Amino acid sequence: MTERPERWTQASVYPDMWADPADDPRNSEGPAPDGETATLADYLTNYRLTLRMKCEGLDAEQLARRSVPPSTMSLLGLVCHLARVERDWRNWITEGEPLPKLYGARDADFDGAVADPAVVETAWRDLEREQAALDGELATHPDLGERLGKQRLSVRELQVHRIEEYARHCGHADLLRECVDGRVGQ
């Protein structure tokens, strides 16, 4: 990339933010959730929304753009990767035969993130499906200390790992988005 985009934000109240507080879907009125389970769910929901926000308004080419060669990381690759790991996590807590790997071989989630609107649509559909499937499975295990799967992973450990994964990749998304079109913010 030879041309650096001009840095910008849509926020006018706090120019270092992605969106003004009144326009931010992660902001909610009222007190924080009560209890550990609700708190973990709230954090996960907000990181998922952050990833979506970082990808909004971009076309397939921009979503697939690899901003820091030789890295294969792109915003679209992150969407595919997170769909893949949601399935992997579900396999971790399942006693039966694991579902097949989503996107196949190692790094195929990033390598296959190409500038094609059909690939973008499939990636978002895969992510939503895998999130819902794991969320549904975990909803049947309300005890955060319960250990699941062959590795005897606790529900709490899995939820914290999910939050960590989304948080780390939202940091990547910040940098990738800024490289794509200069948009900055929290």
Side-chain angles (χ1 to χ4, degrees):
M1 189 167 156
T2 58
E3 203 175 298
R4 287 183 17 182
E6 187 72 28
R7 298 182 85 210
W8 65 281
T9 180
Q10 286 184 343
S12 59
V13 177
Y14 302 106
D16 62 332
M17 295 179 74
W18 184 262
D20 287 327
D23 300 326
D24 193 332
R26 299 166 298 182
N27 289 346
S28 60
E29 297 294 321
D34 284 332
E36 186 177 3
T37 300
T39 299
L40 293 172
D42 189 55
Y43 270 85
L44 183 59
T45 296
N46 284 331
Y47 280 120
R48 287 174 170 174
L49 282 168
T50 299
L51 178 68
R52 280 203 168 273
M53 292 167 71
K54 296 298 176 173
C55 295
E56 283 176 353
L58 299 178
D59 63 25
E61 185 281 322
Q62 291 170 311
L63 288 167
R65 189 178 300 164
R66 281 129 171 104
S67 300
V68 188
S71 174
T72 59
M73 192 177 292
S74 66
L75 289 165
L76 180 57
L78 290 177
V79 173
C80 295
H81 173 72
L82 288 165
R84 182 183 63 79
V85 297
E86 290 277 1
R87 176 171 287 187
D88 289 349
W89 292 327
R90 188 160 40 121
N91 281 333
W92 290 358
I93 64 170
T94 304
E95 296 287 342
E97 279 298 309
L99 295 166
K101 288 275 188 195
L102 196 58
Y103 305 116
R106 181 183 169 104
D107 291 334
D109 40 1
F110 288 104
D111 294 336
V114 296
D116 178 344
V119 172
V120 172
E121 183 178 323
T122 298
W124 284 113
R125 191 172 46 248
D126 289 346
L127 180 59
E128 290 167 2
R129 181 191 65 243
E130 296 303 323
Q131 288 171 337
L134 183 53
D135 289 348
E137 177 64 31
L138 289 173
T140 67
H141 302 282
D143 177 1
L144 292 174
E146 183 180 357
R147 297 198 170 272
L148 305 171
K150 296 172 186 135
Q151 297 177 11
R152 310 311 299 159
L153 186 71
S154 76
V155 173
R156 176 182 293 104
E157 185 178 358
L158 179 57
Q159 289 293 69
V160 170
H161 185 78
R162 291 170 87 193
I163 292 165
E164 176 273 332
E165 184 86 8
Y166 277 88
R168 183 164 41 94
H169 290 313
C170 282
H172 294 132
D174 280 337
L175 298 173
L176 289 163
R177 178 64 187 251
E178 187 173 350
C179 286
V180 168
D181 72 351
R183 187 158 180 198
V184 296
Q186 92 288 4

